[in-house]
Amino acid sequence: MTDSITAAEFTAAEGTGDWRVLRRSALARFATGSFTRGVRLVTRIGALADAANHHPDVDLRYGSVTVRTWSHDVGGLSARDVALAREISMAARELDVAAEPARVSEVALCIDATAGPQVQAFWQALLGHDAHPDHADDAAAARLSDPDGRLPSVWFQQSDERREQRNRIHVDVWVPYDQAEQRVAAALAAGGRLVTDEFAPAWWVVADVEGNEACVSTWKTA
C-alpha cells in the first residue's frame, strides 16, 4: 500500500494553493520581509516536520523562505506532502507571511551525449554531484544532483549521433504550470524565438538570438 499521489492530485487538494509542483516535488516561497521573521517561520516548519516525521528542504534567505517537500520512499509526492504543505501554509498565515507561488522555479542542465556513461563520469567528478537513476524502471537513465541541493542537477540525453548544428548542452527551466506561457512570452519579448511548442504544456523549446536553446517545462502533459 502506498500513499503516492500525482501532481494533479496534489494541485487539486484543498489547502495547497500556496504550492506549485515542479517535477517530482512541491515548492512554496514565502515573502518574510526580514531575516527574523524568516527564522520564526523556519522554526515553526521544523516543529511541524518533526511532529509529522516528514522533513522538507528549507532555504532561508534575508527576505524569503523557500520550502520543498517530496517523499523519498515513493520517488515523488504523497499524501504526507499534502498534509505538511497545509500545515506550513497555515503557520505562514499565522505569522502574517504571504506566499509567492509564481516565483518558484528549478533549473537543470541537459547534455546530449553519445557516450553517456563516460560523459556522466566526467561531470560527476568535476561537480562532486551524486548519481541517481532518473526512472525506477531504467537504471541506465541517470541524473547528477548536488548533495546539498544548491546547484542545478545535470541530466543526460542519449543521442545516436552528434548534431553539430546545435548546442549539445541546454538549460531546462521548470516553472509553475500557470506561469509557463508567461515565461515563454517574456523570453520571446526579450529577443528569443520559439523553436517548437509541439510538446506544450509539458515543455516549450526556445532559443536566444544566437541559437542557444532552453526548455520551459511543467508537470502538465495536457
Side-chain angles (χ1 to χ4, degrees):
M1 183 67 66
T2 177
D3 61 349
S4 176
I5 61 174
T6 66
E9 289 171 329
F10 180 96
T11 302
E14 183 179 355
T16 61
D18 293 340
W19 300 74
R20 293 294 183 270
V21 176
L22 301 183
R23 299 201 69 255
R24 299 187 181 101
S25 59
L27 281 81
R29 185 183 193 274
F30 299 97
T32 57
S34 73
F35 193 79
T36 300
R37 186 178 290 182
V39 170
R40 292 194 191 112
L41 178 58
V42 170
T43 300
R44 293 285 298 276
I45 293 171
L48 293 169
D50 280 343
N53 193 28
H54 190 53
H55 300 92
D57 296 330
V58 182
D59 182 16
L60 169 64
R61 303 289 168 148
Y62 175 80
S64 68
V65 170
T66 301
V67 188
R68 177 197 304 274
T69 181
W70 72 300
S71 299
H72 296 259
D73 58 333
V74 302
L77 294 167
S78 74
R80 288 162 284 161
D81 297 298
V82 172
L84 184 61
R86 288 172 178 157
E87 292 186 332
I88 291 173
S89 289
M90 186 178 300
R93 286 193 294 273
E94 291 172 354
L95 293 172
D96 196 25
V97 173
E100 298 181 311
R103 296 194 62 182
V104 298
S105 64
E106 185 174 290
V107 173
L109 300 179
C110 299
I111 299 176
D112 293 343
T114 56
Q118 296 94 321
V119 173
Q120 177 185 323
F122 168 83
W123 286 98
Q124 184 174 358
L126 181 68
L127 297 172
H129 278 18
D130 293 332
H132 304 278
D134 187 14
H135 303 290
D137 57 353
D138 185 1
R143 64 182 170 88
L144 303 178
S145 65
D146 176 12
D148 295 324
R150 296 180 297 105
L151 302 177
S153 297
V154 182
W155 303 82
F156 300 90
Q157 297 182 162
Q158 183 63 40
S159 298
D160 295 329
E161 59 183 11
R162 294 188 179 184
R163 293 178 287 178
E164 303 296 345
Q165 72 276 15
R166 56 164 286 182
N167 289 346
R168 296 175 61 202
I169 299 178
H170 70 272
V171 175
D172 276 359
V173 183
W174 291 83
V175 300
Y177 70 93
D178 54 354
Q179 296 295 315
E181 292 189 36
Q182 295 179 37
R183 189 65 65 91
V184 171
L188 300 184
R193 65 179 177 86
L194 180 66
V195 176
T196 182
D197 59 1
E198 175 185 358
F199 306 101
W203 75 86
W204 292 254
V205 182
V206 295
D208 65 19
V209 294
E210 294 189 350
N212 301 301
E213 294 185 1
C215 293
V216 178
S217 305
T218 78
W219 61 264
K220 282 205 166 186
T221 56

